[in-house]
Amino acid sequence: MLYVSTRNTEEKVSASQAILKGLAENSGLYVPEQIPALDLPIEKLTDLTYQETAYEVMKLFFTDFTEEELKKCIENAYDEKFDTKEIAPLVKAQGSYYLELFHGSTIAFKDMALSILPHLLTTAAKKNQVKNEIVILTATSGDTGKAALAGFAGVEGTKIIVFYPKDGVSPIQKKQMVTQKGENTLVVGINGNFDQAQTGVKQMFSDQALAQELAAAGYQFSSANSINIGRLVPQIVYYVYAYAKMVKSEEIADGDHINVVVPTGNFGNILAAFYAKNMGLPIGKLICASNENKVLYDFFATGTYDRNREFILTSSPSMDILISSNLERLIYRIAGNDGEKNQKLMRELQEQGKYEITEAMREQLSGFYGNYADEAETAAVIREIYQEAGYIIDTHTAVAAAVYKKYQKETGDTTKTVIASTASPYKFTRSVMTAIDQKYQDKPDFDLVDELEALSGVTVPRAIEEIRTAEVRHKKICEVEEMQSVVKDFLLQ
């Protein structure tokens, strides 16, 4: 299995090389030349553990890893860091199936991929005789940062630098990042939004002069953002696992279709479901849920992707994104895997802030449905699900639940549906608790943690207990234009 760049199909690399590089030349993203078919029938998958399912999916994509190497990466990733043996349990509430992707060490879905990426990356480095130290350079809208830091902290032969929008993450997300231990870690707040942080990171990746300067000092960049194929492939696993578990529990019969709802910012999580569908998993509609930064909803409605709009800070900050990097992988595919055509559209996005796809391309998006939920709708659905089902969800999952209700109302579709529950409500206690009852709005964040425990009956996660009294270790703030000099100061001091 070889990987090509979405902007130049002549550029071909192995899986391990794609993982190592993170980003292709010309800022293209690596995609598999073809999406492989699942080679194990669902009836066999129903009896597999999460780890065994992960191997069956990943071996089809990461073909230059030996069985031993891949199984070792999986074993090291999905261990006691997760607070449940199932790794990704399904919880039924109000007739929907919530796929809880937040049982890892940082209580967000990013753990599902970022707990394995350091192992894939260090294995890939050995395979390719890389002598340089690998520098993970990443931008975060809240969750990727901490999950990447937790994955890479103390990993020999690596350093990790995380940029986050200083006013664009929740207090708990921020505390999780700035208290991170590890001599090889650096966390920096920027005076800007996530899209500016992501753009700054991408510019550093494509800066050849910077690459040469760092190589001379024994460093090379790689990415932990969802632009890295080593992030995307592990995300396919949980959709396959969820389907197999639904068959096993007789919620559906083998071959029945399910719909999947994903709260979406950078588009990687829903793209993983799209890849799962193309591998043969019986998925009907892929329901793309946006918050008030509804650039994806508008794209599915009009065929025009336009980031020229006000950037809104919402209670679901991990989705406060106007440039959905992973959408490029889908655009490349519906453009007929035409790197030149895709590059032209991405150039328009960079230069004019928008692009429009053709009618023929739009027709290929019929498997998607897009909608959005505003702040009031998000709060209302948290309150409703708590009152009716006694189940508490976070703000991002609530965006998905609210959009799913709109989809049902519009279509009358009664297909069994999995909703990707992307973060623990403990990560967004203030928004969650005030949605349930306004009386909580003036209480301190960590008092709300205890209130949430009392209401939900779910024990406070270790990730939250650890940061209650943790020392703030990362205090650096910089302007967007200073990002490169911050990186050089850290690496070349």
Side-chain angles (χ1 to χ4, degrees):
M1 168 76 73
L2 290 177
Y3 289 77
V4 295
S5 166
T6 51
R7 301 190 188 184
N8 174 15
T9 48
E10 297 304 305
E11 187 188 336
K12 294 186 183 185
V13 296
S14 68
S16 62
Q17 289 166 333
I19 289 167
L20 264 178
K21 289 181 78 173
L23 202 61
E25 305 298 326
N26 303 326
S27 296
L29 307 186
Y30 287 116
V31 289
E33 281 196 296
Q34 67 281 324
I35 295 176
L38 277 170
D39 61 358
L40 206 61
I42 298 293
E43 63 191 64
K44 292 265 173 60
L45 286 166
T46 57
D47 291 323
L48 301 188
T49 62
Y50 191 88
Q51 293 84 343
E52 289 164 341
T53 307
Y55 176 71
E56 291 301 327
V57 172
M58 290 190 214
K59 72 174 188 187
L60 303 172
F61 288 92
F62 300 151
T63 53
D64 64 333
F65 285 72
T66 66
E67 180 177 350
E68 187 189 0
E69 285 170 338
L70 195 48
K71 283 186 171 173
K72 193 176 176 191
C73 289
I74 290 166
E75 194 184 300
N76 287 334
Y78 305 111
D79 57 10
E80 66 284 344
K81 288 191 292 294
F82 287 80
D83 64 19
T84 168
K85 269 190 173 168
E86 293 164 286
I87 306 298
L90 275 166
V91 174
K92 192 174 180 181
Q94 283 196 322
S96 299
Y97 300 81
Y98 287 84
L99 179 59
E100 293 189 343
L101 301 171
F102 53 75
H103 287 274
S105 57
T106 75
I107 60 175
F109 83 101
K110 306 291 172 76
D111 290 322
M112 302 301 294
L114 281 164
S115 57
I116 193 167
L117 185 62
H119 305 290
L120 292 172
L121 200 57
T122 48
T123 305
K126 284 182 197 140
K127 277 181 134 13
N128 291 276
Q129 285 83 49
V130 169
K131 298 288 186 279
N132 285 345
E133 192 158 347
I134 293 164
V135 179
I136 301 300
L137 182 63
T138 203
T140 185
S141 54
D143 286 337
T144 287
K146 176 58 184 180
L149 287 160
F152 283 94
V155 172
E156 206 175 320
T158 69
K159 280 187 164 53
I160 176 163
I161 304 169
V162 171
F163 289 97
Y164 70 95
K166 79 171 177 66
D167 299 321
V169 298
S170 81
I172 284 177
Q173 284 177 313
K174 183 175 179 177
K175 188 88 188 277
Q176 280 188 303
M177 288 190 282
V178 297
T179 56
Q180 178 64 52
K181 294 175 183 173
E183 291 303 309
N184 65 333
T185 65
L186 176 67
V187 179
V188 186
I190 66 157
N191 287 312
N193 61 40
F194 169 74
D195 289 328
Q196 290 170 305
Q198 177 87 304
T199 300
V201 163
K202 278 187 166 183
Q203 283 168 350
M204 282 186 267
F205 267 102
S206 53
D207 187 328
Q208 294 304 314
L210 178 62
Q212 284 169 10
E213 190 177 350
L214 293 181
Y219 296 113
Q220 69 186 64
F221 283 143
S222 190
S223 167
N225 276 81
S226 55
I227 51 179
N228 192 316
I229 198 71
R231 270 277 307 271
L232 186 63
V233 170
Q235 292 181 268
I236 299 168
V237 176
Y238 44 75
Y239 295 110
V240 176
Y241 180 73
Y243 187 90
K245 291 299 160 232
M246 287 176 76
V247 171
K248 184 166 189 177
S249 62
E250 299 182 350
E251 296 288 344
I252 55 172
D254 188 354
D256 285 355
H257 278 77
I258 61 167
N259 292 333
V260 174
V261 191
V262 187
T264 310
N266 225 345
F267 208 75
N269 203 1
I270 197 164
L271 184 73
F274 174 76
Y275 275 24
K277 180 176 180 174
N278 281 274
M279 292 177 79
L281 200 68
I283 292 175
K285 276 286 183 207
L286 291 161
I287 298 167
C288 179
S290 299
N291 65 15
E292 288 179 17
N293 292 293
K294 57 188 181 68
V295 64
L296 286 165
Y297 163 63
D298 292 340
F299 168 70
F300 283 114
T302 65
T304 297
Y305 191 95
D306 187 352
R307 66 172 171 83
N308 300 311
R309 62 184 71 205
E310 184 193 353
F311 184 94
I312 302 165
L313 291 173
T314 73
S315 62
S316 45
S318 298
M319 296 160 65
D320 291 346
I321 292 171
L322 296 179
I323 305 171
S324 304
S325 296
N326 262 292
L327 184 64
E328 178 171 344
R329 286 185 163 113
L330 181 65
I331 298 298
Y332 167 80
R333 187 178 170 89
I334 63 174
N337 298 336
D338 185 331
E340 217 171 294
K341 197 171 176 181
N342 175 65
Q343 186 165 10
K344 181 176 173 288
L345 293 170
M346 294 308 129
R347 198 177 299 123
E348 286 173 21
L349 180 65
Q350 192 178 346
E351 291 169 4
Q352 297 154 37
K354 63 179 183 176
Y355 61 79
E356 186 176 359
I357 61 172
T358 64
E359 200 51 51
M361 289 167 78
R362 278 192 77 181
E363 283 167 16
Q364 293 180 65
L365 297 176
S366 59
F368 286 88
Y369 166 90
N371 214 319
Y372 78 102
D374 64 24
E375 289 291 87
E377 289 167 328
T378 302
V381 88
I382 292 172
R383 187 165 55 252
E384 180 198 316
I385 292 171
Y386 168 66
Q387 288 171 350
E388 291 184 13
Y391 183 57
I392 300 180
I393 57 175
D394 93 293
T395 45
H396 303 74
T397 309
V399 168
V403 165
Y404 178 52
K405 287 178 189 294
K406 292 182 181 184
Y407 170 78
Q408 280 184 305
K409 197 173 176 183
E410 274 179 38
T411 64
D413 186 358
T414 57
T415 303
K416 298 272 177 81
T417 296
V418 168
I419 295 175
S421 185
T422 52
S424 165
Y426 279 103
K427 208 153 192 173
F428 304 95
T429 45
R430 178 160 304 283
S431 299
V432 169
M433 294 302 285
T434 51
I436 289 171
D437 195 322
Q438 284 295 312
K439 72 180 183 185
Y440 295 114
Q441 65 184 0
D442 296 323
K443 293 200 173 189
D445 282 280
F446 281 100
D447 286 3
L448 291 176
V449 165
D450 298 322
E451 298 275 7
L452 177 54
E453 182 177 44
L455 275 192
S456 65
V458 174
T459 307
V460 178
R462 196 169 56 224
I464 299 296
E465 288 294 3
E466 283 172 356
I467 61 168
R468 278 189 197 255
T469 55
E471 175 200 353
V472 172
R473 303 167 66 92
H474 301 273
K475 297 174 183 172
K476 199 164 198 59
I477 304 292
C478 77
E479 301 302 322
V480 174
E481 55 273 16
E482 294 172 329
M483 287 170 66
Q484 185 173 133
S485 59
V486 166
V487 168
K488 284 164 78 167
D489 287 349
F490 180 58
L491 297 176
L492 306 176
Q493 57 193 340

